[in-house]
């Protein structure tokens, strides 16, 4: 085995272990349940490692992850989640995306159903951290799970958003790598929880000027 192949294989094995470890961490903390939620990472050759359909994120086998080639064909492993179109849409439109996480986390789902949510700016600016890690979050309408229209809706954002909330379903977050995508997803869920806790109490939100200062200071990608 050449040194290049060997190092690619080592990197892929490390990615497999990381997907299973972080997916289990999300599951163990109740951030998704049953066989819901899915995780993918982009490999250097443009292919993807994707969590399999019908499996709990809490009990994944590194060797059983679906490996797709750059054209989306299954190369090895178990059949991928039927929500692959959500992941593929982010990779296609965001060249910087190295990982995508989708969960059915309770607070984000609850928030996605409320009438006051602005579809174009779905999370209120309660803390600077959601602004920093997520930019502006888009609320997309309800789609039947697995409907290719979900991927089309994400592609329709033209790569300008890294996080979306699917109404009555759950959030999807893309980031440069798996660790960053998990951190951003945790921030999204925490912010939805804070939004629910403060709902109806007239919380002081960050002003437009305060948000602008956070965006400038941290170089946040902000789709105005
Ligand atoms: Zn889902």
């Amino acid at each position: 085995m050449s040194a290049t192949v060997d190092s690619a294989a080592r990197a892929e094995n490390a990615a497999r272990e990381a997907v299973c470890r972080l997916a289990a961490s999300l599951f163990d903390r109740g951030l998704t349940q049953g066989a819901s939620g899915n995780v993918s990472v982009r490999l250097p050759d443009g292919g993807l490692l994707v969590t399999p359909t019908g499996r709990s994120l809490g009990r994944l086998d590194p060797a059983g992850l679906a490996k797709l080639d750059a054209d989306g064909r299954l190369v090895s492993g178990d059949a991928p989640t039927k929500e692959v179109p959500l992941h593929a849409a982010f990779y296609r439109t965001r060249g910087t995306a190295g990982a995508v996480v989708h969960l059915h986390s309770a607070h984000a789902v609850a928030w996605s159903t409320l009438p006051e949510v602005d579809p174009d700016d779905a999370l209120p600016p309660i803390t600077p951290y959601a602004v920093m890690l997520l930019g502006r979050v888009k609320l997309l309408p309800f789609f039947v799970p697995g409907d290719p229209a979900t991927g089309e809706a994400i592609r329709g954002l033209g790569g300008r958003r890294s996080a979306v909330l699917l109404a009555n379903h759950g959030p999807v977050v893309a980031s440069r790598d798996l660790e960053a995508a998990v951190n951003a997803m945790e921030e999204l869920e925490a912010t939805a929880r804070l939004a629910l806790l403060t709902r109806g109490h007239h919380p002081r939100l960050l002003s437009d000027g305060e948000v602008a200062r956070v965006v400038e200071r941290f170089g946040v990608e902000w789709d105005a």
Side-chain angles (χ1 to χ4, degrees):
M1 193 184 274
S2 77
T4 313
V5 172
D6 194 36
S7 84
R10 272 202 306 272
E12 181 181 318
N13 284 338
R16 288 174 180 276
E17 298 283 347
V19 166
C20 295
R21 186 174 65 248
L22 289 170
S25 165
L26 293 166
F27 180 87
D28 289 345
R29 287 176 288 147
L31 291 164
T32 205
Q33 58 283 329
S36 72
N38 30 79
V39 175
S40 66
V41 294
R42 180 142 61 178
L43 297 168
D45 67 359
L48 299 178
L49 288 176
V50 187
T51 53
T53 187
R55 298 282 166 74
S56 163
L57 290 191
R59 297 179 291 278
L60 293 172
D61 170 11
L65 297 182
K67 183 177 179 179
L68 309 183
D69 67 15
D71 297 318
R73 286 184 295 255
L74 183 64
V75 175
S76 64
D78 297 329
T81 169
K82 63 181 175 301
E83 290 176 322
V84 161
L86 305 180
H87 298 249
F90 270 115
Y91 293 118
R92 183 168 302 181
T93 55
R94 290 179 64 84
T96 57
V100 175
V101 176
H102 165 56
L103 301 178
H104 297 179
S105 52
H107 298 92
V109 175
W111 187 251
S112 80
T113 66
L114 297 179
E116 69 263 38
V117 176
D118 175 356
D120 208 43
D121 196 4
L123 286 183
I126 298 175
T127 75
Y129 306 103
V131 173
M132 287 155 57
L133 295 187
L134 300 158
R136 285 215 297 171
V137 176
K138 181 80 177 179
L139 174 66
L140 293 174
F142 175 75
F143 298 98
V144 173
D147 184 343
T150 325
E152 286 161 27
I154 292 173
R155 283 199 300 278
L157 299 173
R160 294 186 308 278
R161 302 296 181 97
S162 65
V164 303
L165 259 182
L166 304 173
N168 302 76
H169 180 168
V172 193
V173 172
S175 199
R176 63 188 180 282
D177 59 35
L178 182 58
E179 187 95 28
V182 167
N183 287 344
M185 178 59 90
E186 290 174 0
E187 196 59 44
L188 191 157
E189 175 65 5
T191 302
R193 183 162 183 256
L194 289 171
L196 291 166
L197 285 170
T198 55
R199 187 177 186 229
H201 296 289
H202 309 289
R204 191 198 85 87
L205 300 176
L206 300 183
S207 67
D208 288 350
E210 286 168 336
V211 169
R213 272 158 46 208
V214 172
V215 166
E216 189 188 345
R217 170 79 197 275
F218 294 96
V220 176
E221 207 184 316
W222 190 255
D223 182 33

